Amino acid sequence: MNDFMATGLSTLCNRLNKTLEWLNVKATTICQKDGKIDFVTPNTHAIGLKAIGSSAYLTEFNTTDSACRFHDYTNKEWTAFKDLFGENMQTIGKAFNLIVH
């Protein structure tokens, strides 16, 4: 992989994490336990993004829950990702997430 490709993927991964951070804040819930109120914000964070073809990416996340949440976000909040991956973006949820555009 040339340096330009690595820099582009790093930038794309950073932009993906900014989008995920915004969606995590949006998904914050309020929980009450033993009379205490806590705000719970999910932590969905991509730790790797690899190009595996001309229009496909393999994503790696910090936890399995994070990967599942990402797949859920792409189904419910797909418009948040269209600037990153295009209008025709699809995710294929397996033991990993595959983004195809």
Side-chain angles (χ1 to χ4, degrees):
M1 176 179 353
N2 63 35
D3 189 46
F4 176 76
M5 180 83 157
T7 302
L9 285 175
S10 176
T11 300
L12 184 59
C13 191
N14 288 339
R15 290 181 60 207
L16 173 60
N17 280 321
K18 292 270 187 210
T19 300
L20 292 171
E21 186 178 316
W22 175 77
L23 290 169
N24 287 335
V25 169
K26 193 174 168 183
T28 298
T29 58
I30 300 172
C31 296
Q32 184 174 356
K33 184 177 180 182
D34 300 328
K36 293 182 181 180
I37 296 176
D38 287 326
F39 294 93
V40 179
T41 302
N43 178 22
T44 312
H45 185 78
I47 59 173
L49 185 67
K50 181 178 179 181
I52 56 169
S54 62
S55 62
Y57 299 95
L58 180 64
T59 55
E60 182 180 2
F61 290 89
N62 56 340
T63 65
T64 303
D65 288 340
S66 189
C68 290
R69 221 175 3 263
F70 169 75
H71 194 266
D72 190 49
Y73 285 163
T74 59
N75 287 325
K76 294 180 181 174
E77 303 277 355
W78 67 271
T79 57
F81 299 97
K82 69 180 184 180
D83 287 341
L84 296 173
F85 300 109
E87 299 255 344
N88 297 322
M89 180 190 115
Q90 298 175 345
T91 56
I92 301 167
K94 299 281 184 194
F96 50 85
N97 283 293
L98 183 63
I99 301 170
V100 181
H101 68 98

